[in-house]
């Protein structure tokens, strides 16, 4: 039987609708709204399209949205000064500096400069530490891992007791999702294995997975024979493999391919995310959720 296709676009829409309703209620009661600043340096085309979507979604949620577009040659000191200004601005609850940054800027320095209590990306080491501790300590789960966890839960797959295999050990996906799913508590409590470029038998590990999360950045890496029949497969890969003219807009758009051979995998998996339309839309929904959490945290 072909797999259930996990519709990240539809799930993210319903989460965003919940957030929008909550923000409208807060505004009616207190005349206050969450504030998000998005800082984009330069004009990397992928970054521009991600930030445009984040801005549009924040405005749709009813947030105060401040968009800062800085020239590619802005100095590190000027960028740090801007971050500091928003750290001190009480109307801003979330600060997002779009990555990657130009080479002359130390990315680490910028992330470390963001107030951890406004770090809605969850990239600051304080928030990584909080995530590791788990429970109430975890303030801002990084958006892509949070979206993955939500997709698994909302597609009815049991995480507790499951064998989870994560392919990839990046700081923004592999390491955090592995830690989130091994926590004791609801929506977690799994047995987690992380495999990576140093792993000897990649296929053998993947075949044991009840839940297979692939964030390797290698198009079509996971073959159908690596998938346990009935497994839940979450494909985090967004690989630009070419360009095409959009039938809708007539504009040139990227052809995206995931890390999993989707057409073959969907015949074996129990449930699977498509690319695009799987994990991608969830990342923005979770950014909105973190910004709302930050607003509430600052209010209380
Ligand atoms: N670049 C690619 N993904 C992300 C993200 O989730 N947050 C930020 N700040 N930059 C990114």
């Amino acid at each position: 039987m072909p797999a259930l296709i996990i519709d990240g676009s539809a799930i993210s829409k319903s989460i965003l609708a919940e957030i929008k309703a909550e923000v409208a209620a807060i505004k009616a009661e207190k005349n206050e709204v969450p504030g998000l600043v998005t800082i984009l340096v330069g004009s990397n085309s992928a970054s521009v399209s991600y930030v445009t979507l984040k801005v549009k979604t924040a405005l749709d949620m009813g947030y105060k949205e401040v968009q800062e577009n800085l020239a590619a040659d802005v100095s590190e000191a000027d960028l740090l000064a801007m971050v500091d200004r928003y750290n001190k601005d009480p109307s801003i609850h979330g600060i997002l500096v779009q990555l990657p940054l130009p080479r002359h800027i130390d990315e680490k320095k910028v992330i470390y400069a963001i107030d951890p209590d406004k770090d809605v990306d969850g990239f600051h080491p304080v928030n990584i530490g909080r995530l590791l501790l788990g429970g109430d300590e975890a303030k801002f789960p990084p958006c892509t891992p949070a979206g993955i966890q939500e997709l698994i839960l909302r597609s009815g797959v049991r995480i507790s007791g499951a064998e989870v295999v994560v392919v990839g050990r990046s700081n923004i996906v592999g390491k955090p999702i592995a830690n989130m799913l091994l926590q004791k508590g609801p929506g977690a409590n799994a047995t987690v294995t992380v495999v990576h470029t140093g792993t000897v038998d990649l296929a053998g590990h993947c075949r044991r997975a009840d839940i297979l999360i692939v964030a390797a950045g290698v198009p079509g890496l996971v073959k159908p024979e690596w998938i346990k029949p009935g497994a839940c497969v979450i494909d985090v890969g967004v690989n630009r493999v070419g360009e095409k003219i959009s039938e809708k807009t007539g504009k040139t758009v990227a052809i995206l391919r995931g890390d999993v051979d989707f057409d073959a995998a969907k015949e074996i998996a129990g449930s699977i995310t498509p690319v695009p339309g799987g994990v991608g839309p969830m990342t923005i929904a979770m950014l909105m959720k973190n910004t709302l959490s930050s607003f509430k945290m600052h209010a209380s």
Side-chain angles (χ1 to χ4, degrees):
M1 201 170 67
L4 163 80
I5 309 299
I6 303 173
D7 187 344
S9 300
I11 295 173
S12 81
K13 268 191 197 135
S14 72
I15 293 170
L16 289 173
E18 288 164 22
I19 293 174
K20 191 171 175 171
E22 194 174 342
V23 172
I26 293 170
K27 188 173 180 188
E29 193 194 322
K30 298 184 174 172
N31 199 27
E32 282 176 19
V33 292
L36 174 69
V37 59
T38 46
I39 304 176
L40 172 67
V41 182
S43 55
N44 171 294
S45 68
S47 293
V48 170
S49 58
Y50 286 136
V51 169
T52 304
L53 200 54
K54 288 171 186 176
V55 169
K56 188 170 161 275
T57 311
L59 290 172
D60 186 45
M61 292 302 100
Y63 290 178
K64 170 181 172 175
E65 161 63 44
V66 182
Q67 195 179 358
E68 295 281 8
N69 291 336
L70 302 176
D73 63 354
V74 68
S75 72
E76 185 181 279
D78 283 353
L79 176 58
L80 290 170
M82 176 175 278
V83 167
D84 191 47
R85 246 191 357 263
Y86 287 113
N87 280 342
K88 292 175 180 145
D89 182 340
S91 73
I92 292 295
H93 310 93
I95 301 174
L96 182 139
V97 180
Q98 187 66 24
L99 305 177
L101 291 169
R103 279 209 201 156
H104 68 280
I105 298 177
D106 182 347
E107 222 161 74
K108 212 160 98 174
K109 230 180 184 173
V110 176
I111 291 171
Y112 286 30
I114 297 171
D115 177 352
D117 288 342
K118 293 190 178 186
D119 168 39
V120 285
D121 261 325
F123 291 169
H124 192 288
V126 166
N127 285 318
I128 304 283
R130 288 167 167 170
L131 188 84
L132 220 78
L133 294 171
D136 290 343
E137 289 296 323
K139 299 278 188 293
F140 300 119
C143 303
T144 300
I148 293 170
Q149 190 177 30
E150 198 71 39
L151 281 181
I152 302 170
L153 285 172
R154 292 201 184 212
S155 55
V157 172
R158 186 175 166 81
I159 299 177
S160 182
E163 285 277 349
V164 173
V165 174
V166 178
V167 183
R169 55 180 158 188
S170 69
N171 287 338
I172 61 175
V173 184
K175 287 182 198 167
I177 190 64
N179 278 288
M180 286 161 72
L181 296 184
L182 63 76
Q183 298 293 338
K184 196 165 188 169
N189 206 32
T191 302
V192 182
T193 305
V194 181
V195 299
H196 43 73
T197 48
T199 299
V200 176
D201 181 13
L202 210 53
H205 284 288
C206 290
R207 268 195 287 270
R208 282 192 300 102
D210 301 312
I211 299 171
L212 180 61
I213 299 168
V214 193
V218 181
L221 171 74
V222 172
K223 310 288 178 260
E225 59 273 19
W226 295 19
I227 296 169
K228 179 176 174 178
C232 171
V233 179
I234 305 290
D235 189 352
V236 192
V238 186
N239 305 290
R240 293 173 173 237
V241 294
E243 289 184 338
K244 63 177 180 186
I245 305 291
S246 161
E247 280 177 21
K248 256 202 229 161
T249 62
K251 286 186 186 164
T252 305
V253 291
I255 301 171
L256 302 178
R257 195 163 163 224
D259 289 351
V260 177
D261 178 353
F262 178 81
D263 288 334
K266 75 178 191 317
E267 302 302 323
I268 296 164
S271 52
I272 187 167
T273 57
V275 176
V279 175
M282 292 299 289
T283 299
I284 294 193
M286 294 299 112
L287 174 68
M288 298 302 134
K289 192 172 168 186
N290 278 350
T291 306
L292 178 56
S293 305
S294 180
F295 170 82
K296 289 180 189 168
M297 221 168 72
H298 283 86
S300 65

